[in-house]
Amino acid sequence: MGYRLHVNGQVHTVEVPGEMPLLWVLRESLGLVGTKFGCGQALCGACTVHVDGVAQRSCSVPVSTIGDAKITTIEHIGETPIGARLQQAWLEIDVMQCGYCQAGQVMNAASLLAATPKPTREEIRDAMAGNICRCACYNRIETAIRMAAGIDPAGEAHDGGKSHAT
Amino acid sequence: MRPDRRTFLKASLLAGGGLALEAFVGAPARAAAASNAASGGQAAAASAVLTAFVSIAPDGRVTIVAKNPEIGQGVKTSLPMIIADELDCDWDAVRIVQADADLARYGVQVAGGSTSTPNNWLPLRQTGAAARAMLLQAAAQHWSVPVAELSTAKSRIMHATSGRSCGYGDVANAAAQLAPPAPGSVPLKKPEEFTIIGRPVAGFDGPRVLRGEPLFGIDTRLPGMLYAAYEVAPAHGGRLVQADIAAAKAAPGVRHVVPIKGDGNADTGLADGVAIVATHWWLANQARRKLVAEWDVSAAKGHSTERYRARAQAALDAGGGQELRREGDPDAALAAAAKRVAARYDYPFLAHGTLEPQNCTALFKDGRIEIWAPSQTPARGRELVQKMLGLPALDAVTVHVTRAGGGFGRRLLNDYMLQAAAIAHALPGTPIQLIWSREDDIRRDYYRPAGWHGFEAALDAKGRLTAFTDHFVTFGEGTRVTRAGDLTLTMPPADLIPNVRFSQTAMPTVLTTGWLRAPGSNALCFASQSFLDEVALAAGKDLPALMLELVGEARVIAPPGGRGAPFDTVRARSVIEKVLQASHWAAQAPARVAGAPARAKGFAFYFCHQGYFAEVVEASVAGTEVTVHKVWVAGDVGRHIVNPFGAENQVRGAIIDGLAQALMGQSIEVVDGAVQQSNFHDFRLARMPITPEIEIAWVRSDHPPTGLGEPALPPVIPALTNAIFAATGRRIRSLPVRLG
C-alpha cells in the first residue's frame, strides 16, 4: 500500500505494508539511517524521532498511523534552534563513546527542551530515562542538555543515582 | 610490544604528490615482503606488519590511518593524536581513515584487552617524529640552512634567523625523496612539549554521528541490497532437522528463504539456521513466525542455570578440585590460625547488550566475498570466512571495518559474520545485510560465564592474613575451561602472602561463553574484594588498611612464569592512598548503630590490564532502593592521559556499567539450553536515573601509558557491595544484588 509521508520538510511516497514501523521505512525505504534500531520494543529509545515535534519511538509506530503528521529525524534536527544548540553542546564536551544511541538521545532531549525550556535535574532524568546509552555517557548527556538549555551545568547539587535491587 | 621487535620506516611519494611514511614493526628483512604482499595482492604471513601510516599532501592535509576498530573506546581519535603531536602538525588539518582488515599488512587489528595504547605508544611517536624530521631536512636543503636552525609549530616550518617559513605541504614532495631515518635515532618530544597529547580532543567522528550520517555496520547500503533475518534453534547447541519454508517464502516482501546447515561447531563455527531474505528487515523478521522448523535440541537437555547452581554448591561441599596454584602450606596455616573466615560467593551469566545489534553486510560475486562488519577482530573473521567458504586465498575475502555501536567484548567473536557470509554465498550477486533482532542478540551471546567461589582465610593472633584459599567452580570439560571462565592466578592476595591455594572444578555447559569488558576481573574482583572486606572486619580493621598492609613495602612482583604484567606495589599504594584522601575515608562514621541512617562508604582495589584502580562508593539503602551518592576513582595508567575527553568517558562508562551489573538485576537464566531473557525489559541496562556523581583522580606515575577500556570497572562492584554491608550489615555474596 502507498503512504505519503512528510519527512524533514519533504514529501515521500512509499509502498509498504501499513503495519511496518516507521523506523524501517526511514532506514530502508528512504535511506535515512541516522535513526537507529536498538530493541524493536520501545525499550531503548535509539529510534526516537519527532512526530509533530513530539518524541516517539519509531520502532513502534506503524506507518499507517502517521497520516499528515510532520516527521523530523536526526538528519534534520540541526535546522531547529534547539537541535542546533544540543548538537553544539554535545560536541563541546565530547559526549559520546560509540555514538550509536546519540541520535535518539538528541531527539529526545530536543523534545524535552521544546516542552520544558529550563528543566530541573530531576526532570531531565525522568525525561531521558527511556533512552539507553550502553556506553553510559549519562553524566555528559545530562550536562550537555543543561548547557543547551542555558542552565549552569554545576548549578544544582547532584543527589545520587537511584535503583531498585530486587 | 616484545623487545625483539622494532620499528622501521618506509617512505614514498604519494600518488597525488606528497610524503607517505609507513612504519613497520617486526624484522626489517621482511619489510619488503610485507609491503609487496599488501600491494601485489599476495597473502603472505609476514613477520613485519604496518603499524602506522601517515601522509602529508602538497596542500598540507595530513592523513592518518586508524588500523584498530573503533567501538566507542576512542582509539580512532587517540592513536592519531600520538602521531600528530610528534609530527607537530595542525590537528585541524588531520583526516583519519579507517583501515580494512588485512592481517598480512597490519598484523592483528583488535579492539580488546585495553592493548591499543600500550602497544602503539612508542611506534606511533617514532613515526610522527620521523616524518617531521624528513620535512625539516627537506626544508633545510631547500633553504641551504642547518636543520638545527629550524623549528616547527602547527604544520609550519620556521627559520627564525632569516624569517622564512613554509607549510609542511610545501616540502612534502621533496621529503618523499629522502631516506627515512632510523626511528630510534630521532629525538622524541619531552612531555612538556606536547601540544596535542594530554589535551581534551573531541572524537573525530562526533559531528558525523550527530548529523545521522552512515558510519555503523548497520548503516551500510549497497545497490540492490536485501535484508536477512536468521532463525536459529530455540536452545543452545540445537541442530536443524528439517524446515517447511513455503509459508515464509509467500510472506510479504520475502524474496528468498534459505535453510543453512552449519558445521556443528557451536562455538566459533556456523550455526544451523534458516535465512529469510526480504526487501525490508522488518518483513524478513515477521516472516520468521511462518517458518515451520524442526530442531534437535536434545544436547541441551538438563542445561539449566538452576541445575548449574546445585552442581556448583555440591562441588564446593565436596571440596578438593584440581589444584591450579599452591604457595607455601595453606592447610598448615589454616590449622594454626587464630581466626578462620570462610564464605561462598557467586555471580551469574551476563550478556553484553551492545546497543547496535549484531549485523553484517556481505556480497558474494565471482568467487570473491566483500564484507562490511562492526567487528572487534575483523582479521580473524576474514580467516574464518575464507575457511568456511573454502575460498582458495585470503585475498578472496575483503573485510571493511565499520564503526561499531559498542563492543564490550561481544564482537571479538565473529559468528554473525559467518552467518552473513553463508547467506551471501547462497545468493551470489545479491548484497545482503543480516541483522539480529534484540531477542536474537540476548539469546545468542557469548556470555560472561557464571562462577562460584569457596574462600577460606587464616588470620594469626596479630590479625595478619597468613593463608588464602579459593575453590573455584566454573565451566568446561575436565581441565579445559570455557572461554573467559578461567581463574586469574595472580588474583590478590596471591603473591602478597606466603600461603595460597587456588583449585578448580569445571562442569560442562552448552552455552557459548566469552569475554565481557574486563574479563575475569569483572567477576573475580567482586568475589575476592568482598571476601577480603569480611576478612578485614574479622581482623578488626577496614579493607583499605588490610590492602595497604598486604601491598607492603615498595617492590615489583613478577608474575609467576613471567607471563602477564608485573605488579608494582608503589603504584597500588598510591591509588589506594589517593582515593582514601579524595573520599575523606578516614572521616567515615563508625559502624552503624540501630536507627541510624543506612548510608556508608565501601572500598575496593584491583589491578588488571596494566591499570591500577582504587574506588570508593558512597551508598544508602532504604528498603530495596539503593542510592549511589558518589563514586571516587583513583587510577594509575601511566604518566600520560592521551585524550582526557575519551579517558574520562571510559572511566565513567566503566563505573556505571559495573553499577548496572550489580543493581539492575542483570542475570542470564537458562532452562534446557534456552535463554529466558529476551530484551531490555528483562535484561536491564543502566539508565540515566542510576547515574551517580563520579570524581576521577589520576595518579601519574612515571610509566608509559596503558589502556583504559577496562581496568576502571572491576573495583566499583565490590566497593558498592561493601558499602551496602557497611550501611545495612547485609553481606552481598551473590550478584546481582537482591534486597527484596
Side-chain angles (χ1 to χ4, degrees):
Chain A
M1 184 158 176
Y3 293 93
R4 269 168 58 86
L5 296 174
H6 299 263
V7 183
N8 297 339
Q10 292 187 328
V11 178
H12 299 269
T13 304
V14 293
E15 287 285 334
V16 294
E19 322 85 78
M20 186 183 286
L22 175 61
L23 170 66
W24 302 103
V25 175
L26 293 171
R27 289 187 57 84
E28 297 178 353
S29 293
L30 304 183
L32 293 169
V33 298
T35 305
K36 295 295 192 263
F37 169 51
C39 70
Q41 304 284 341
L43 293 165
C44 77
C47 66
T48 306
V49 300
H50 290 183
V51 179
D52 281 339
V54 178
Q56 300 271 331
R57 310 302 190 215
S58 67
C59 75
S60 301
V61 177
V63 68
S64 61
T65 65
I66 305 280
D68 288 333
K70 308 275 185 293
I71 296 157
T72 307
T73 70
I74 188 69
E75 285 89 347
H76 200 67
I77 197 67
E79 307 293 315
T80 69
I82 290 175
R85 286 209 305 275
L86 284 165
Q87 286 174 333
Q88 194 195 335
W90 239 255
L91 290 174
E92 205 171 304
I93 58 166
D94 197 37
V95 166
M96 75 189 68
Q97 293 182 45
C98 87
Y100 192 76
C101 71
Q102 300 295 338
Q105 304 279 359
V106 168
M107 295 306 288
N108 207 70
S111 183
L112 164 68
L113 294 189
T116 313
K118 301 276 179 196
T120 63
R121 186 187 293 275
E122 219 43 48
E123 283 170 332
I124 293 174
R125 291 184 156 226
D126 282 352
M128 300 303 291
N131 285 73
I132 290 175
C133 174
R134 175 65 181 89
C135 306
C137 308
Y138 295 120
N139 299 103
R140 287 189 189 172
I141 292 171
E142 192 180 308
T143 304
I145 293 171
R146 293 162 72 90
M147 286 167 65
I151 305 166
D152 175 8
E156 191 183 345
H158 199 303
D159 62 351
K162 295 178 184 357
S163 61
H164 280 276
T166 50
Chain B
M1 195 177 52
R2 294 205 297 273
D4 59 327
R5 296 167 68 76
R6 56 193 189 85
T7 306
F8 54 96
L9 302 166
K10 183 170 164 278
S12 56
L13 188 65
L14 270 181
L19 166 67
L21 190 63
E22 296 172 302
F24 294 87
V25 172
R30 301 292 298 271
S35 179
N36 289 343
S39 52
Q42 297 295 308
S47 65
V49 296
L50 185 60
T51 197
F53 174 94
V54 58
S55 67
I56 298 104
D59 66 0
R61 178 174 276 207
V62 176
T63 301
I64 298 174
V65 171
K67 78 167 193 171
N68 287 347
E70 174 62 55
I71 58 173
Q73 82 284 42
V75 289
K76 191 172 177 181
T77 305
S78 63
L79 295 186
M81 283 171 69
I82 300 171
I83 295 186
D85 202 324
E86 289 287 355
L87 176 59
D88 215 21
C89 72
D90 177 5
W91 178 253
D92 294 334
V94 173
R95 194 170 64 106
I96 302 169
V97 177
Q98 187 74 49
D100 284 347
D102 192 335
L103 191 65
R105 187 163 162 78
Y106 296 108
V108 181
Q109 292 159 271
V110 63
S114 296
T115 51
S116 289
T117 303
N119 287 353
N120 291 293
W121 170 250
L122 188 60
L124 293 185
R125 290 184 67 193
Q126 290 176 338
T127 305
R132 175 179 174 273
M134 292 170 75
L135 294 166
L136 280 178
Q137 198 189 332
Q141 283 175 5
H142 182 65
W143 291 331
S144 301
V145 299
V147 169
E149 291 181 5
L150 301 179
S151 65
T152 58
K154 289 195 101 174
S155 292
R156 288 200 73 78
I157 302 172
M158 279 79 67
H159 184 238
T161 327
S162 66
R164 281 177 294 192
S165 77
C166 72
Y168 280 3
D170 301 330
V171 288
N173 279 329
Q177 312 301 326
L178 303 170
S185 70
V186 182
L188 299 175
K189 282 187 174 180
K190 293 186 189 74
E192 59 270 24
E193 293 169 339
F194 288 146
T195 56
I196 300 171
I197 293 167
R199 209 182 76 190
V201 172
F204 182 75
D205 283 334
R208 296 183 61 197
V209 169
L210 289 175
R211 288 194 297 263
E213 290 182 24
L215 279 169
F216 297 92
I218 204 169
D219 301 340
T220 306
R221 292 292 177 269
L222 299 169
M225 190 174 87
L226 296 175
Y227 297 88
Y230 195 60
E231 176 81 3
V232 295
H236 280 253
R239 302 297 309 263
L240 179 63
V241 179
Q242 56 175 358
D244 179 352
I245 61 172
K249 208 162 177 179
V254 173
R255 297 289 172 80
H256 310 277
V257 179
V258 189
I260 290 175
K261 204 75 188 153
D263 55 11
N265 174 355
D267 186 28
T268 53
L270 173 66
D272 286 9
V274 181
I276 301 179
V277 183
T279 56
H280 291 71
W281 182 79
W282 186 79
L283 294 172
N285 200 49
Q286 290 291 105
R288 290 167 76 168
R289 297 177 194 167
K290 299 196 169 153
L291 268 180
V292 186
E294 189 189 329
W295 304 93
D296 175 5
V297 293
S298 55
K301 189 108 186 83
H303 281 274
S304 303
T305 21
E306 212 169 291
R307 195 150 156 209
Y308 290 154
R309 259 178 225 125
R311 287 190 63 174
Q313 295 302 341
L316 292 180
D317 290 342
Q322 176 204 358
E323 192 166 279
L324 300 176
R325 183 177 181 192
R326 190 182 57 201
E327 301 294 336
D329 190 342
D331 292 325
L334 281 163
K339 211 178 217 178
R340 290 167 71 148
V341 184
R344 291 183 185 180
Y345 279 80
D346 68 82
Y347 38 83
F349 287 98
L350 291 181
H352 295 79
T354 60
L355 203 58
E356 180 188 16
Q358 309 320 313
N359 69 88
C360 183
T361 306
L363 168 61
F364 182 73
K365 200 178 169 185
D366 304 328
R368 296 177 46 82
I369 190 161
E370 198 168 357
I371 289 170
W372 291 258
S375 171
Q376 290 179 253
T377 55
R380 172 82 180 127
R382 188 175 179 227
E383 283 181 337
L384 290 172
V385 168
Q386 184 213 349
K387 217 167 111 191
M388 177 185 78
L389 298 181
L391 299 175
L394 203 52
D395 259 14
V397 185
T398 302
V399 178
H400 303 291
V401 180
T402 68
R403 189 177 179 89
F408 311 105
R410 173 59 182 88
R411 299 186 217 267
L412 290 165
L413 281 305
N414 289 288
D415 49 334
Y416 52 90
M417 193 193 291
L418 292 185
Q419 292 169 12
I423 299 165
H425 188 252
L427 303 169
T430 302
I432 65 103
Q433 180 171 95
L434 168 70
I435 304 175
W436 285 19
S437 68
R438 177 56 58 192
E439 289 76 12
D440 294 329
D441 185 61
I442 299 283
R443 290 175 179 156
R444 286 298 168 139
D445 203 339
Y446 290 83
Y447 305 97
R448 189 286 297 277
W452 294 262
H453 296 262
F455 291 119
E456 196 162 8
L459 293 167
D460 67 13
K462 289 181 179 156
R464 285 177 308 205
L465 179 61
T466 54
F468 176 85
T469 65
D470 180 9
H471 181 189
F472 175 47
V473 181
T474 183
F475 295 93
E477 303 273 358
T479 57
R480 231 187 103 246
V481 172
T482 190
R483 185 183 300 111
D486 38 357
L487 186 63
T488 305
L489 298 182
T490 52
M491 177 174 77
D495 301 304
L496 300 173
I497 59 168
N499 305 300
V500 172
R501 181 173 56 239
F502 289 142
S503 56
Q504 172 178 292
T505 303
M507 60 181 143
T509 179
V510 291
L511 289 187
T512 46
T513 66
W515 302 285
L516 173 69
R517 190 179 204 173
S521 312
N522 58 38
L524 299 174
C525 180
F526 155 68
S528 61
Q529 288 282 294
S530 299
F531 178 65
L532 287 182
D533 197 62
E534 296 193 53
V535 171
L537 192 70
K541 48 195 129 190
D542 62 16
L543 180 57
L546 174 65
M547 289 309 298
L548 286 172
E549 184 183 302
L550 290 173
V551 161
E553 66 199 33
R555 65 204 189 282
V556 175
I557 301 168
R563 293 184 57 207
F567 179 80
D568 185 331
T569 60
V570 173
R571 300 179 74 179
R573 175 175 294 277
S574 303
V575 295
I576 292 171
E577 286 173 347
K578 185 92 172 180
V579 86
L580 296 181
Q581 184 193 8
S583 66
H584 304 288
W585 178 267
Q588 185 172 10
R592 183 186 173 226
V593 289
R599 175 169 174 157
K601 288 177 188 146
F603 164 93
F605 163 82
Y606 216 63
F607 167 64
C608 64
H609 301 277
Q610 304 181 59
Y612 298 76
F613 278 83
E615 296 168 10
V616 168
V617 168
E618 183 171 18
S620 65
V621 181
T624 65
E625 188 179 75
V626 179
T627 300
V628 177
H629 297 281
K630 188 163 177 179
V631 180
W632 290 266
V633 180
D636 178 359
V637 290
R639 82 176 74 88
H640 300 290
I641 302 297
V642 176
N643 185 357
F645 261 167
E648 292 209 353
N649 245 348
Q650 288 304 308
V651 172
R652 289 173 194 283
I655 294 300
I656 298 166
D657 205 351
L659 292 177
Q661 286 177 21
L663 292 176
M664 301 292 283
Q666 290 186 5
S667 178
I668 290 292
E669 303 286 322
V670 186
V671 175
D672 286 334
V675 171
Q676 303 298 293
Q677 285 68 32
S678 61
N679 208 316
F680 296 139
H681 64 292
D682 52 11
F683 190 83
R684 298 190 300 147
L685 298 178
R687 292 173 185 271
M688 191 184 277
I690 83 156
T691 308
E693 187 181 354
I694 299 167
E695 189 179 310
I696 303 165
W698 300 112
V699 174
R700 292 171 186 271
S701 66
D702 194 21
H703 294 88
T706 53
L708 263 174
E710 301 171 278
L713 190 151
V716 76
I717 301 175
L720 169 71
T721 54
N722 291 341
I724 291 174
F725 174 79
T728 65
R730 280 183 75 162
R731 181 61 70 184
I732 306 298
R733 295 197 182 92
S734 180
L735 288 180
V737 176
R738 294 194 198 280
L739 298 174

